[in-house]
């Protein structure tokens, strides 16, 4: 798509350049600084706090990489920023605004809106507010059509895309019905969401939906999360750029 060359110009570091066992930790300032130093684009995740702030974090609950327990959506931004990461080093959870300040337009910023498919649009609203004051190249995406449809209406100037896969077989998707999974996999929401790009699971390529999006609609197709040489070859054949992890392209 014309005007989105910046989105596919360079590989995007999945949650920043990270190593969760040896550091830096994913979705932290250190991981993003490493990606910036190497000139890669940055992919990240954001979650909503109880008081409506957008926090850069993949999981919807504490515990995997951090001390403590509890859902992010039930804690204030101040409380979440005080949570220690298990790797230590003084790292704290970033707000989306802090991430924008850190990146400062130097590389492409690809932001996934995490969702519970419950109709809560606060994260999309907060992200659009923050990005309204950001001059750098940035795009928002989600597995959930609802926030992307909302952004199309309320913030049409922001670049928006859909994240998708073919089967939705992982346990995290158990709450979705078979009909929902089918509609998501085949992008049947597209007339409502009107995505400007697609991010598709690399191990599900090739697939009809991304092929048609790329060849018929002319949408850029990213693919995630590329970790192996085989996956790199798949990405090179069926996508316009990769979201990578565990190596340096």
């Amino acid at each position: 798509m014309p005007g989105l060359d910046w989105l596919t110009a360079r590989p995007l570091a999945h949650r920043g350049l990270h190593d969760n066992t040896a550091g830096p930790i994913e979705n932290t300032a250190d991981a993003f600084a490493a990606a910036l130093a190497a000139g890669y684009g940055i992919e990240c995740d954001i979650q909503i706090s109880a008081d409506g702030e957008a926090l850069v974090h993949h999981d919807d609950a504490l515990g995997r990489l951090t001390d403590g327990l509890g859902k992010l959506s039930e804690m204030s931004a101040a409380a979440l920023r005080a949570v220690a990461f298990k790797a230590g080093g003084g790292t704290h959870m970033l707000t989306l605004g802090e991430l924008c300040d850190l990146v400062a337009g130097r590389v492409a910023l690809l932001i996934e809106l995490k969702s519970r498919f419950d109709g809560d649009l606060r994260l999309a609203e907060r992200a659009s507010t923050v990005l309204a004051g950001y001059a750098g190249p940035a795009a928002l995406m989600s597995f959930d059509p609802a926030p992307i449809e909302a952004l199309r209406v309320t913030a049409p100037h922001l670049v928006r895309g859909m994240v998708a896969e073919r089967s939705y077989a992982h346990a995290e998707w158990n709450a979705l019905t078979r009909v929902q999974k089918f509609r998501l996999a085949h992008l049947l929401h597209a007339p409502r969401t009107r995505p400007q790009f697609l991010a598709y699971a690399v191990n599900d390529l090739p697939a009809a939906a991304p092929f048609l999006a790329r060849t018929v609609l002319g949408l850029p197709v990213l693919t995630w999360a590329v970790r192996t040489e085989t996956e790199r070859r798949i990405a090179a054949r069926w996508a316009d750029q990769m979201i990578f992890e565990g190596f340096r392209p």
Side-chain angles (χ1 to χ4, degrees), residues 1 4 8 160-162 187 190 194-198 209-222 240:
M1 175 175 287
L4 291 185
T8 58
R160 63 187 180 275
M162 291 300 305
L187 305 181
R194 299 181 198 173
Q196 295 163 293
F197 68 93
L198 181 64
F211 178 79
L212 293 173
R214 190 183 187 203
T215 60
V216 177
L217 301 180
L219 301 186
V221 172
L222 308 172
D240 298 293

Side-chain angles (χ1 to χ4, degrees), residues 106-205:
R106 288 176 285 174
V107 300
L109 188 54
L110 180 60
I111 305 158
E112 181 182 342
L113 303 168
K114 305 304 285 186
S115 171
R116 295 172 296 281
F117 287 78
D118 58 0
D120 187 347
L121 299 178
R122 290 180 302 149
L123 184 57
E125 293 167 0
R126 179 56 183 159
S128 65
T129 297
V130 173
L131 292 180
Y134 184 64
L140 294 167
M141 62 182 185
S142 182
F143 280 98
D144 186 351
I148 302 304
E149 181 181 7
L151 288 169
R152 178 182 67 81
V153 176
T154 63
H157 59 287
L158 295 178
V159 177
R160 63 187 180 275
M162 291 300 305
V163 194
E165 56 187 89
R166 185 162 50 197
S167 62
Y168 295 86
H170 192 273
E172 68 178 300
W173 302 117
N174 286 350
L176 299 181
T177 67
R178 291 177 62 185
V179 172
Q180 283 178 301
K181 293 177 182 180
F182 181 87
R183 294 181 63 83
L184 292 173
H186 295 279
L187 305 181
L188 298 185
H189 51 73
R192 295 182 291 108
T193 54
R194 299 181 198 173
Q196 295 163 293
F197 68 93
L198 181 64
Y200 211 82
V202 67
N203 289 315
D204 287 341
L205 293 175

Side-chain angles (χ1 to χ4, degrees), residues 16-39:
L17 277 180
H18 70 272
D19 181 338
N20 289 341
T21 57
I25 299 299
E26 66 180 55
N27 276 325
T28 62
D30 289 345
F32 300 137
L36 285 168

Side-chain angles (χ1 to χ4, degrees), residues 88-101:
T91 301
H92 70 271
M93 214 175 288
L94 296 173
T95 66
L96 177 57
E98 288 175 321
L99 174 59
C100 290
D101 290 341

